[in-house]
Amino acid sequence: MPSVMIRQNDSGQLTFYVSKKDLEETIVSMEHQGPDQWGGEVELADGSRYFLDPLEAVPRLPITLRAKRL
Amino acid sequence: MTTMTREETEALIQEVLEVYPEKARKDRAKHLTVNDPNVEQSKKCITSNRKSLPGVMTIRGCAYAGSKGVVWGPIKDMIHISHGPVGCGQYTRAGRRNYYAGHTGVNVFGTMNFTSDFQEKDIVFGGDKKLEKLIDEINTLFPLVKGISIQSECPIGLIGDDIEAVSKKKAAELGKAVVPLRCEGFRGVSQSLGHHIANDAIRDWVLPRRDEDNRFETTPYDVALLADYNIGGDAWASRLLLEEMGLRVVSQWSGDGTLSEMELTPKVKLNLLHCYRSMNYIARHMEEKYAIPWVEFNFFGPTKIAESLRKIASFFDDKIKEGAERVIEKYQKEADAVIAKYRPRLEGKRVMLYVGGLRPRHPVGAYEDLGMEVVGTGYEFAHNDDYDRTIKEMGEGTLLYDDVTGYELEEFVKRIRPDLVGSGVKEKYIFQKMGIPFRQMHSWDYSGPYHGYDGFAIFARDMDMTLNNPCWDKFQAPWKKAALAKAA
């Protein structure tokens, strides 16, 4: 259950950052994109997949969340 | 020797690795690579931020060095206690040349060393009482001190002292900031973790202190200069340019910085980040909590400075954009004169760097402005993201080495024979004795500043002074030289 920061990079893509693991990857797909649900399963550019507990609304980015590794 | 091809460089790496036992060779091979600017992610070609191999000579520091020496040490109006035995603080005292303004010992304390000087009985019975006494003593002797940070040395973590409790108690008693840092030297693989711990302490103990206080009058042009440590006056040279383009620099982190500047940083509009490695953590935190965007910039060499000034200006309105153009135009003439003077003397010279933080990649632009080429570079304590940035800066076939060992660096230099090596003081005399000009690039070889247009003039002069010094052809005794000439 790493704590991850989701952030928008300069080109508008979402990035997935785990400081302890030295991991910063762009998110290629996210299950729920809003407007009433946001999060769920995410897939990163390197192919690894994580699960974020879906939020009720689109949050203000960047945001730190707990993620589960799938 | 002309520039080496990719195959030659790869062969060189293999050759250098040959002396190691098999296991060590396999491990070290991951840390050495030949640059290919088309690789998107560094983790595909180089491994970094791993524990150094036992038995090899590494020049890395420890977490205490990263926290006390780099991030906290330069904050001038706080007293930083080296909590533990006396050596860690004393042997690093004032070595980094973080310049500051003020009266040392009265309202600023940068070059002084404060330590709890642990003895056997403190290890056996715990040092919390001593720490309390020490903090009271500091407050009596130096009443103008704005805050105190407690920088743990190794024994503190081993004996389990509760420095957080002491901090809370004393902060309430004195009404000043008392910040505990768990930066024991044994944590992590290098000083890099110390930066992270220091950033986290700023996040938890400093920034929230003025969250409710909105008395500070802001302007739309407020910025903070993060991760410039004012080595030889670097931050002053940077600040000058930012102010000239119309921005208001609210705080400097942490070179010539103060506690209250740090507390006011959450009120700014943009964080300017120079050394990505040591302060990206706090910039990311402020982006999340206070919605302050951050931008990386590079103030080495006129090309990169102009690029960075425009990039910074793009976050603001036309007034600042015009200001940036005005600054660039004003100083470009000066920079052109510097290039006209030194470029003919330095053109085509090849440089190898091995430093930490931002220096293996940021000065590359400055060298290129002078017509020089960086043929090898490496970091002591970088992570993947640093190499991501480096790969793009470097040309095809540049040698990259991560946490290079003493032996490897010597062998690389012997074979590549660059015209200049830039590294630390431990490497300096080895290479000078090999007859290779050397600059100590951690603190600019007791020169500086190197940032900004003013700094570029000094940078160019220093490189010329070192490279074209007449001493380099005096390495052989005159009679031996004559014999050689006769034989030839």
Side-chain angles (χ1 to χ4, degrees):
Chain A
M1 284 270 280
S3 170
V4 301
M5 187 183 271
I6 312 283
R7 154 170 207 271
Q8 211 153 24
N9 67 9
D10 295 337
S11 46
Q13 292 164 304
L14 290 179
T15 62
F16 189 94
Y17 174 70
V18 190
S19 67
K20 281 264 149 47
K21 287 219 171 306
D22 228 351
L23 170 82
E24 191 170 23
E25 279 289 352
T26 50
I27 294 175
V28 285
S29 73
M30 187 188 265
E31 197 180 344
H32 307 294
Q33 304 263 8
D36 42 69
Q37 230 187 0
W38 190 91
E41 236 180 89
V42 294
E43 193 181 335
L44 307 186
D46 65 354
S48 57
R49 284 156 59 236
Y50 289 84
F51 181 80
L52 299 167
D53 277 331
L55 301 174
E56 305 270 293
V58 179
R60 193 191 77 179
L61 295 176
I63 185 170
T64 302
L65 299 166
R66 306 289 279 181
K68 229 185 280 172
R69 220 191 152 127
L70 294 176
Chain B
M1 200 165 112
T2 51
T3 316
M4 291 166 67
T5 63
R6 195 181 177 78
E7 289 70 38
E8 281 171 339
T9 317
E10 266 160 11
L12 169 64
I13 292 177
Q14 290 313 320
E15 201 177 302
V16 167
L17 285 172
E18 241 157 49
V19 297
Y20 287 125
E22 198 192 327
K23 211 172 146 198
R25 189 187 318 147
K26 236 168 104 186
D27 183 272
R28 287 302 309 159
K30 294 180 201 155
H31 295 265
L32 307 170
T33 191
V34 187
N35 190 38
D36 176 1
N38 302 319
V39 173
E40 267 165 39
Q41 281 180 319
S42 62
K43 64 181 172 199
K44 289 183 183 137
C45 63
I46 196 162
T47 306
S48 54
N49 200 29
R50 290 282 179 277
K51 193 175 173 300
S52 306
L53 271 179
V56 301
M57 286 273 266
T58 168
I59 63 170
R60 279 177 163 176
C62 66
Y64 165 85
S67 175
K68 185 327 180 131
V70 176
V71 178
W72 281 91
I75 299 165
K76 61 180 176 178
D77 63 352
M78 289 178 77
I79 283 176
H80 311 286
I81 301 171
S82 298
H83 190 37
V86 68
C88 303
Q90 180 56 24
Y91 290 112
T92 56
R93 185 185 70 86
R96 203 151 173 266
R97 299 194 316 117
N98 309 101
Y99 286 1
Y100 56 85
H103 296 282
T104 305
V106 181
N107 58 356
V108 292
F109 310 93
T111 50
M112 297 170 79
N113 175 32
F114 295 85
T115 176
S116 43
D117 187 19
F118 263 38
Q119 304 296 321
E120 230 171 302
K121 74 170 178 14
D122 301 309
I123 303 285
V124 175
F125 297 108
D128 284 345
K129 284 224 175 70
K130 192 171 194 178
L131 182 61
E132 279 182 38
K133 202 173 147 203
L134 177 67
I135 292 172
D136 286 335
E137 234 171 72
I138 284 174
N139 200 48
T140 315
L141 289 172
F142 305 100
L144 292 181
V145 68
K146 294 283 168 19
I148 291 162
S149 78
I150 301 157
Q151 312 278 341
S152 308
E153 293 168 12
C154 295
I156 308 305
L158 296 173
I159 62 177
D161 271 8
D162 192 355
I163 55 170
E164 284 84 2
V166 177
S167 299
K168 278 183 193 144
K169 183 179 164 200
K170 282 293 157 192
E173 252 179 63
L174 305 177
K176 289 178 180 175
V178 182
V179 184
L181 282 115
R182 287 288 179 185
C183 57
E184 289 91 350
F186 54 76
R187 290 185 201 274
V189 298
S190 65
Q191 54 265 63
S192 186
L193 188 71
H195 306 145
H196 200 152
I197 292 168
N199 277 235
D200 287 354
I202 295 173
R203 178 193 71 196
D204 295 339
W205 296 81
V206 177
L207 294 186
R209 285 167 58 86
R210 292 215 198 164
D211 273 356
E212 311 299 320
D213 177 2
N214 285 318
R215 282 173 299 167
F216 182 67
E217 281 179 34
T218 58
T219 73
Y221 303 121
D222 287 355
V223 294
L225 182 55
L226 297 194
D228 192 327
Y229 299 104
N230 206 25
I231 292 164
D234 276 343
W236 293 328
S238 304
R239 186 186 179 118
L240 204 74
L241 298 178
L242 297 170
E243 283 178 346
E244 232 176 298
M245 70 192 262
L247 296 171
R248 185 169 81 146
V249 181
V250 171
S251 64
Q252 274 176 234
W253 290 45
S254 51
D256 196 34
T258 61
L259 178 65
S260 93
E261 281 178 34
M262 285 173 72
E263 290 171 354
L264 290 172
T265 309
K267 323 276 182 209
V268 302
K269 299 289 178 293
L270 179 67
N271 278 325
L272 309 174
L273 190 60
H274 204 243
C275 174
Y276 171 86
R277 179 75 273 130
S278 58
M279 279 194 184
N280 78 81
Y281 316 101
I282 200 74
R284 286 175 196 270
H285 166 72
M286 280 195 266
E287 187 182 29
E288 181 175 0
K289 188 169 176 195
Y290 304 101
I292 304 168
W294 50 278
V295 60
E296 287 172 61
F297 69 108
N298 177 355
F299 268 3
F300 285 96
T303 318
K304 290 286 174 192
I305 297 172
E307 223 170 78
S308 300
L309 287 175
R310 290 195 180 109
K311 191 159 130 197
I312 293 165
S314 71
F315 284 80
F316 295 95
D317 60 11
D318 287 343
K319 192 187 140 201
I320 301 296
K321 282 179 191 143
E322 280 157 30
E325 293 305 324
R326 200 178 56 237
V327 172
I328 294 167
E329 205 194 307
K330 178 179 165 193
Y331 287 101
Q332 193 60 47
K333 275 177 240 133
E334 275 179 35
D336 287 342
V338 171
I339 293 174
K341 182 172 175 192
Y342 292 107
R343 188 162 177 142
R345 298 166 65 86
L346 297 170
E347 184 91 54
K349 302 282 188 200
R350 300 175 317 130
V351 188
M352 274 174 80
L353 297 172
Y354 178 60
V355 239
L358 55 85
R359 298 183 201 94
R361 68 169 180 276
H362 269 71
V364 173
Y367 281 117
E368 279 168 2
D369 285 332
L370 292 169
M372 298 161 82
E373 190 196 355
V374 178
V375 292
T377 194
Y379 296 81
E380 282 172 42
F381 53 82
H383 298 203
N384 286 333
D385 36 9
D386 292 295
Y387 283 103
D388 283 343
R389 289 161 174 77
T390 314
I391 288 171
K392 292 187 193 90
E393 291 276 332
M394 296 294 164
E396 164 78 26
T398 309
L399 182 60
L400 294 180
Y401 30 85
D402 178 66
D403 185 25
V404 76
T405 67
Y407 157 76
E408 287 163 19
L409 187 61
E410 261 183 68
E411 287 302 308
F412 286 145
V413 169
K414 267 184 211 158
R415 289 291 305 275
I416 295 177
R417 292 303 290 191
D419 301 293
L420 179 71
V421 178
S423 190
V425 75
K426 296 191 290 301
E427 292 73 46
K428 182 172 184 171
Y429 301 102
I430 299 168
F431 294 126
Q432 287 191 340
K433 283 172 186 172
M434 276 161 68
I436 294 173
F438 185 95
R439 291 295 300 179
Q440 189 264 95
M441 290 297 276
H442 286 280
S443 60
W444 310 145
D445 229 337
Y446 320 103
S447 173
Y450 281 179
H451 293 181
Y453 288 104
D454 294 343
F456 178 65
I458 297 165
F459 176 82
R461 183 205 64 191
D462 285 354
M463 294 308 141
D464 174 51
M465 201 163 78
T466 310
L467 258 167
N468 296 317
N469 196 307
C471 72
W472 302 116
D473 52 13
K474 303 267 183 289
F475 266 74
Q476 232 159 9
W479 57 94
K480 282 190 180 159
K481 231 188 227 172
L484 262 178
K486 228 180 258 170

